Structures are given as structure tokens and as C-alpha cells.
Amino acid sequence: MNIQWYPGHMTKAKRAMKEDIKLIDLIIEIIDARVPLASRNPDIDELGKGKARLILLNKSDLASEQQNDAWTSWFRSQGFYVVKVNSRSGAGLKQINGVVQEACREKIERDRRRGILNRPVRAMVVGIPNVGKSTFINSFAGKACAKTGNKPGVTKGNQWIRLNKTLELLDTPGILWPRFEDQRVGLMLAFIGSINDEILNRDELALELLKFLQVHYPDVLKERYQADAKTPEELLVQIAKVRGCLMKGGEPDLGKACGILIDDFRSGKLGRITLEFAPKTEEKDAKEHEKAE
């Protein structure tokens, strides 16, 4: 399954981001907690060299809590500030102001020494399509100041938003990169809805998701669909029957079953599922080593 999607406005957005990066103090990068690495644009690290960095593990309520903690530890070991958030409910958002001040402490102190007082931190909000940037900004600001949508690519241009006396946000369009070197990344992004569904083969996507769930979350399929078949194809037939997806003559409507499976995963109805597992950090390795001794 070969996945590529790079609308024209993204090239323009990337050029604008290169210019705007000179104006900001901090990059707030929003990623999907279910696929923390796949939902990061590798270009951001290059663009953001020398800037303070804050990663928001968004949709953390849809991901495994154990993996949320593991990813938080791993990103911190890489030099990032990290906050777990759920932009829809507002969970975790109250922590952000304090973390922003901590991340930009050197910049604030430098301003103070120069006699510049109370200049707000300017933060650029970045992230790939459909990770919840606009929802985060609206929730964080407490008002609908950025467009939101349940399809990727709603934000088309950059806009400044003054939140309070200490923080200004620059919203940017979601930017993917022109080519996925690793097709696994494209697959992960397709699972979470960051790639336009209209260009995807949803039947293939559902079968790939079933393969993953069979290996890592087999109980989920039994609990949700009473499905315990050995192959993804047989599982799909079971899901179709349990959900009443039948065509004339009683034949299972597999296309409809595929849609139900994908929608159930994306909405969290399958439970808290993380698709990418965190590498172990040195800190964790040290603790495990101590326990072993």
C-alpha cells in the first residue's frame, strides 16, 4: 500500500514557516500520542534549530497511559519539554503556561538584563494535519480563534493569536513532508486520519490495522466485536456479521465493516491504543538495572 499526499498549499506554508521562525522564541509541536514519531515532521527539527522546544502529546486519552509515560520520558531524554494533553476536554492545558515560562527562562532572563520587561513569549504552533492544532489553540485560548475541522488541511495560512500578557501563538497550517521514505509512517498516519481518506484504499487499511491489533491488542477485538478468527480477512467477516453489515442474500458487506473498524479506532471506541512503542530511555534502563541487582 503506497501512500503519498502533499497538497500544493503545504509547500507555500513551509516557505512561510522558514520566514516566521526568525520571529519566535519557542516551537510548540503537537503530535498524536498514538503515533508519536510518525506524527512528527522531521523538517521541524531542522527548521527549529536553536529554539526552545515543547512537545504536546495530544489525544493522550486515546493512547495507552503506560506508553504516554514512556514517550514522555523518551522525549525528555532527547531535550524536549513535554506535556500530555487532551485538547478536546482541556486536560493538561493548565500546565502549559508554566512549562512555556520554564522552557524560555533563558530568553526571559536575557530580556530582563537588557531592561525589556513583560515582552510576551512568541510561540509557533506546528504539527502535521489532523493532530488537533486548531482544537488545541481554541481550547487553550478559551475561544474559537482558529478554524477547526475533522479533515486534514483546514488551516491554510499563518495567523498570530495573543493569549495573554505572557504568550502569543502563531498558528501554522499542518505540513507533511513531500515523500515518506518509510511507508510504515504513511500507514500510521493513514490510521489516525492525517492523510485524506479519499486517496486511500480503506479495505487495505482496515486489514493492516487488524494485523496490528491481532499481535498487540488481541483482546480488543474479542471485547468489541466478539471476533477471534485467525486471519484478518476472517476477522473482518466476523465484524461485518456482528455489526449487521450484510448485503442482499446475507453476504457480509466488508467495505462497510472496514469503515466501522477504522472509525471505531479513531474515535477511541476500541479503547486506548498506541501504535508506536517508545524506545527505552537510559534513565529507565538504569532503574531496571538497579532492580536486577
Side-chain angles (χ1 to χ4, degrees):
M1 188 171 179
N2 192 287
I3 298 170
Q4 299 296 338
W5 186 59
Y6 195 72
H9 75 268
M10 290 190 183
T11 304
K12 184 180 175 184
K14 187 177 172 184
R15 279 199 300 268
M17 189 182 286
K18 279 184 179 177
E19 289 302 309
D20 291 331
I21 208 96
K22 302 166 190 171
L23 308 172
I24 61 107
D25 310 302
L26 168 73
I27 294 176
I28 298 176
E29 183 180 1
I30 302 189
I31 63 177
D32 190 306
R34 296 167 295 178
V35 286
L37 286 186
S39 60
R40 294 194 69 219
N41 184 334
D43 292 345
I44 302 297
D45 284 339
E46 185 61 35
L47 288 168
K49 275 184 178 174
K51 301 292 181 181
R53 303 291 301 276
L54 167 60
I55 281 183
L56 300 184
L57 277 173
N58 195 27
K59 305 187 184 181
S60 58
D61 59 309
L62 299 177
S64 151
E65 187 58 23
Q66 183 182 5
Q67 280 300 312
N68 286 342
D69 291 340
W71 278 111
T72 297
S73 297
W74 186 80
F75 279 120
R76 283 177 180 159
S77 76
Q78 306 300 304
F80 296 95
Y81 288 85
V82 188
V83 179
K84 292 181 290 184
V85 299
N86 173 0
S87 295
R88 287 196 183 281
S89 71
L93 298 188
K94 287 181 180 176
Q95 300 176 46
I96 293 174
N97 269 320
V99 176
V100 165
Q101 296 301 305
E102 173 65 23
C104 296
R105 188 168 50 179
E106 285 183 21
K107 172 258 174 199
I108 294 167
E109 287 298 324
R110 196 163 57 244
D111 281 353
R112 199 167 287 157
R113 286 196 297 271
R114 292 172 179 167
I116 304 168
L117 302 176
N118 302 321
R119 185 168 80 83
V121 169
R122 288 186 143 191
M124 177 185 280
V125 183
V126 300
I128 67 167
N130 220 33
V131 290
K133 284 195 323 308
S134 297
T135 302
F136 158 69
I137 290 171
N138 292 344
S139 297
F140 195 42
K143 58 184 183 294
C145 51
K147 290 180 183 177
T148 58
N150 60 359
K151 60 181 181 178
V154 171
T155 306
K156 292 288 189 353
N158 295 1
Q159 52 182 324
W160 279 103
I161 299 152
R162 188 178 179 96
L163 291 187
N164 51 50
K165 290 179 181 178
T166 63
L167 182 61
E168 291 180 354
L169 296 183
L170 178 61
D171 186 21
T172 60
I175 301 178
L176 287 174
W177 47 111
R179 182 165 293 278
F180 302 129
E181 299 297 330
D182 181 354
Q183 275 298 300
R184 185 195 62 85
V185 171
L187 188 61
M188 295 287 172
L189 297 183
F191 284 150
I192 65 168
S194 285
I195 309 255
N196 193 328
D197 277 336
E198 291 171 13
I199 69 160
L200 298 172
N201 182 324
R202 278 169 71 90
D203 294 3
E204 282 186 39
L205 194 63
L207 289 172
E208 290 293 337
L209 181 56
L210 283 170
K211 284 179 193 174
F212 178 88
L213 294 173
Q214 270 189 296
V215 174
H216 299 286
Y217 297 91
D219 292 343
V220 162
L221 298 171
K222 290 177 188 172
E223 289 166 16
R224 181 72 181 166
Y225 307 114
Q226 295 83 55
D228 57 0
K230 287 188 167 57
T231 70
E233 290 80 7
E234 290 168 340
L235 282 168
L236 203 54
V237 171
Q238 288 183 333
I239 292 169
K241 288 177 178 175
V242 167
R243 282 289 176 264
C245 303
L246 302 174
M247 297 185 288
K248 284 182 181 177
E251 282 295 306
D253 187 339
L254 300 183
K256 196 170 180 182
C258 288
I260 286 173
L261 174 72
I262 293 167
D263 291 343
D264 281 356
F265 164 70
R266 289 177 182 171
S267 64
K269 288 177 183 171
L270 295 185
R272 301 180 66 167
I273 292 171
T274 298
L275 299 176
E276 286 184 310
F277 303 123
K280 286 188 175 181
T281 62
E282 289 180 14
E283 182 186 340
K284 275 192 175 178
D285 289 345
K287 283 181 182 174
E288 287 178 11
H289 183 66
E290 282 173 23
K291 281 181 186 175
E293 291 179 343

